[in-house]
Amino acid sequence: MKQAMIITMAFVALVAAAGGYWLGGQQAAHTEQAAPQKDAARKILYYRNPMGLPDTSPVPKKDAMGMDYVPVYEGEEKSTVNPGMGGVQISIQKAQKLGVKTEAAAMRMLENTVRATGRVEANERHIYTIAPKFEGWIDKLHVNVSGEPVMKGQALFDAYSPELVSAQREYAIAAQGVTNLKEADSDTRHSMQKLADASLLRLKNWDISAQQVQELEKSGATRRSLTFHSPVNGIVLEKKAVQGMRFMPGEMLYQIADLSSVWVIADIPEQDIAPIGKGNRARVKIDAYPDKQFDAAITYVYPTLNPATRTVAVRLELANPHGLLKPAMFAQVEIPVSGKDKVLTVPVSAVIDSGVRQVVLVQTAADHFEPREVRLGKRSGDYAEVLEGVANGEQVVVAANFLIDAESNLKAALGGFGHAHGGNTQGSPAPAAEHGSHDAAAKPQAKPAVVGHQGRGTLNAVNADGSINISHEAIESLGWGAMTMDFPLANSSLARGLKSGTTITFDLVERKPGEWVITGVQAVKPISHEGH
């Protein structure tokens, strides 16, 4: 009896223990399900692209890189990428951390400088050709070298011509007859005078100088040869005359150019010719005289275009009193031009050019940025004309560590704004997607993927190819140890003003697998110990 009672009591204890264990398990299961039920009470609106692209899905999915799309819960729409506009909302604190700077699109008068190459040429108005109008032979050359400077009236050569000798004798006889027939009747004197005038006109038509004609009138003696003189101060550009040679009427024997004034013919690209016209001032630099600058004005715009080079020639006229400018010299021409009216402009640094399209980031609110495709017009220095895409007064991003001039990097930058792989604008991880399984709830959340990384190091050099050499400290987010290596820059201006040996912090993005690009560089200011 006593043994039966003991067995009964043990059974009751065992049942009580089992019931307690079951009840405890039920309570634990209820506790474990509390968090998912809490999240389940929040409605998932859609799943967004983890890289910030304007792509959403009504069901869980992965992107091309295998990243899970991030769930967007009701009430969180404003803190993520706007799927309709493609805009991104970030906190003001994060924008300051990223170094975001903006500037308003504004109406400006664009001033531009058109640059072109040119060449020095002789002023065609000051080129003279010596070509006798009669047949003859060269008896003697007084100027026998091309390139020799000559003075006005200087003897060039002596020419013999039977026609010239005959014309001189004819004039001498006619002039003597006029003198001898002073007492004759008027008809006779008039006839003789007409003969003398015709002989004189024949000599003048052969370009015989007035001085030579006067000497012929005074002496009455004919000369076997006649001297030709230079009509101008200048340089002998070309000499075909050879002593003893025979020449025919109209044959060029000398070409002389006055180089006290020269032309510069510049070739202007077709797309730059519109604002250029007669009267535009220009600056001319000659490769031979890099320390000198010549001022000139455009005197003529040629009416034709060179189809091979797609350029239009313009002519500038320069004074050349000291003979520094020589024909065939190369010249660099700068022509300042300005528009007639103000146009809407944005800073050039605000434009992200993929080669296919141009995009700017517009600040639509204190914590919201919207990428917009724009159509650009002419550029001038630091500003570019905007034809479409931005309105006057809108703020555009001009400086930040995510401005990279490639479309793929723009996508990564937008992902950085919106926190890729589950990040939200407040820096807290987004809720994990619910797949309805206990295993999914039990697994720890995946660590959000990082788009941008930061490092610290010493700038060793700015390389000739535009990259920079850095000895950097360990970068934990990449798992890199300290090392020295070269990095390409997203924009060459990022290293402007930095000197070798400067301690810097820098931002990195992976443009494509294995290619890391620096998108921002900041010099670390040394700690001041004043007053301690």
Side-chain angles (χ1 to χ4, degrees), residues 476-490:
E476 294 182 2
S477 60
L478 289 172
W480 290 0
M483 65 182 76
T484 299
M485 57 193 300
D486 291 334
F487 290 98
L489 296 174

Side-chain angles (χ1 to χ4, degrees), residues 10-85:
F11 176 76
V12 171
L14 181 61
V15 171
Y21 180 79
W22 176 82
L23 182 60
Q26 291 295 318
Q27 290 175 346
H30 178 74
T31 303
E32 289 177 359
Q33 293 176 359
Q37 287 176 354
K38 182 179 179 180
D39 282 343
R42 302 170 61 195
K43 181 181 180 181
I44 296 179
L45 299 180
Y46 54 86
Y47 295 83
R48 66 174 176 85
N49 188 287
M51 296 301 291
L53 301 180
D55 179 26
T56 62
S57 171
V59 296
K61 61 179 290 189
K62 295 180 181 291
D63 68 0
M65 299 177 64
M67 296 183 181
D68 291 324
Y69 271 50
V70 179
V72 178
Y73 292 88
E74 188 174 17
E76 291 185 347
E77 314 94 285
K78 296 182 179 179
S79 64
T80 58
V81 177
N82 186 323
M85 298 173 60

